[in-house]
Amino acid sequence: MAPTRIPPVTAGIAAAVAVVLAAACWVFFPPETAGRALAGRPDVDLPLPWPAEGQSSAEVQNLGSLGSRGERGPVPIASVTKVMTAYVVLKDHPLGPDEAGPEITVDEQAEAESASAEESSAPVRAGRRFSERDLLALMLVPSGNNVARLLARWDAGSQDAFVAKMNREAAALGMTSTTYTGASGVEDSTTSTASDQLRLAREVMRNPVIRAIVATPSLRIDGVPGAVVNTNTLLGRDGVIGLKTGSSTAAGGALMWAARAGNGALILGVVLHQSPGGTPAAGLRAALDTSEKLIAAIQRELPAATR
């Protein structure tokens, strides 16, 4: 049988369609160059001082994306993990805005881990009872790893069972590049992207309990000596109202943040993998510094861009 011949006109149309489709794919799915993804097209295009390393993403709720920059592959996120831990605990054990919730007894493991010099912890004693809300505060404000794992055991019976819940919630939120392997973030194998964590920030800021806790610069909790101080030192500057820091040698510094614009609009952003490989303290300083510059620029540029 003779091969079927495509008429010249049909072939020309097919070629033109292929060119148009290829151009559309380039716009909506930009290519990567030397391992770094080119920036996607933002809904609101502002001249912003994006961090020169790592990855970052930001948006204005009810307005749209401000864009993303940097590498798109998953990286360690350290204690930013605790945002998902709080989200899962409150989904399983919801609290009203003014509710303290059930009392939870501190176990011996949480007390033993409170003396660790290797990770951030909260000073809790075995047998002491704290409300669910107070334990969420001890996890999110001073970033108590031992409290994150205590909450995981209380909620699911074991940390492994709780981690399975974390990953199910991440999948439900469309966080396709995220893997949780612990409740605290101390494991370098817990990885995510700035765009995935921005999805989570959008979701948790709908919860009044999380909003209130992460906006607290410091607090006092019965049974814990002294003031509990927030690791997010940007609170109260440039409209910042939360969210959560993270730092480790592998992760560098990380910050999920929320701020109010001058008109009251909610601005959300995530900065990951700042100065990795050094000390956690240096990485955290880098994440706070780059985020502060980014937030200040958004506050400055947004009014003119949205008039």
Side-chain angles (χ1 to χ4, degrees):
M1 179 184 292
T4 303
R5 231 174 137 259
I6 300 174
V9 172
T10 304
I13 293 172
V17 169
V19 170
V20 170
L21 287 174
C25 286
W26 193 95
V27 169
F28 292 107
F29 304 99
E32 293 191 1
T33 302
R36 290 184 63 82
L38 300 181
R41 184 172 294 177
D43 296 320
V44 182
D45 198 1
L46 303 179
L48 298 177
W50 295 98
E53 65 177 339
Q55 54 183 278
S56 49
S57 190
E59 69 178 32
V60 182
Q61 277 199 336
N62 301 321
L63 189 60
S65 169
L66 298 178
S68 298
R69 292 294 188 280
E71 58 197 5
R72 290 190 179 177
V75 296
I77 61 171
S79 286
V80 172
T81 299
K82 295 183 178 84
V83 177
M84 178 59 87
T85 300
Y87 177 73
V88 173
V89 167
L90 283 167
K91 188 166 185 179
D92 289 346
H93 308 276
L95 297 178
D98 299 316
E99 289 182 333
E103 289 196 334
I104 301 163
T105 302
V106 176
D107 59 21
E108 292 183 0
Q109 182 176 342
E111 178 182 356
E113 291 171 350
S114 72
S116 172
E118 306 296 322
E119 53 182 318
S120 58
S121 62
V124 292
R125 300 291 299 273
R128 181 80 194 202
R129 295 174 66 81
F130 292 93
S131 69
E132 176 187 345
R133 189 185 187 107
D134 280 350
L135 286 180
L136 286 167
L138 286 171
M139 176 180 70
L140 292 171
V141 175
S143 204
N145 286 352
N146 58 329
V147 175
R149 294 187 286 266
L150 172 62
L151 282 168
R153 293 191 296 275
W154 171 71
D155 176 271
S158 71
Q159 183 175 211
D160 287 346
F162 186 82
V163 167
K165 289 186 178 186
M166 295 173 77
N167 284 308
R168 284 197 295 270
E169 292 299 336
L173 292 173
M175 299 167 64
T176 57
S177 297
T178 297
T179 302
Y180 291 104
T181 59
S184 69
V186 71
E187 302 87 357
D188 294 338
S189 51
T190 288
T191 59
S192 187
T193 62
S195 57
D196 268 12
Q197 290 300 308
L198 191 59
R199 286 175 180 266
L200 179 58
R202 193 183 306 144
E203 191 68 24
V204 300
M205 285 302 286
R206 296 189 177 106
N207 187 297
V209 175
I210 293 180
R211 281 202 312 270
I213 290 173
V214 299
T216 307
S218 66
L219 72 160
R220 290 184 178 274
I221 294 176
D222 287 343
V224 176
V228 177
V229 179
N230 203 314
T231 54
N232 182 5
T233 56
L234 298 187
L235 283 172
R237 291 149 57 181
D238 294 312
V240 175
I241 57 173
L243 261 160
K244 185 70 190 79
T245 61
S247 61
S248 70
T249 298
L255 182 66
M256 177 191 288
W257 51 262
R260 289 286 180 191
N263 64 359
L266 181 63
I267 311 168
L268 299 173
V270 177
V271 170
L272 300 178
H273 224 210
Q274 302 298 294
S275 298
T279 66
L284 181 56
R285 281 196 302 272
L288 290 165
D289 288 347
T290 54
S291 295
E292 184 175 26
K293 292 172 185 173
L294 186 57
I295 295 165
I298 294 170
Q299 296 278 18
R300 183 175 62 251
E301 301 290 343
L302 191 59
T306 55
R307 275 203 283 266

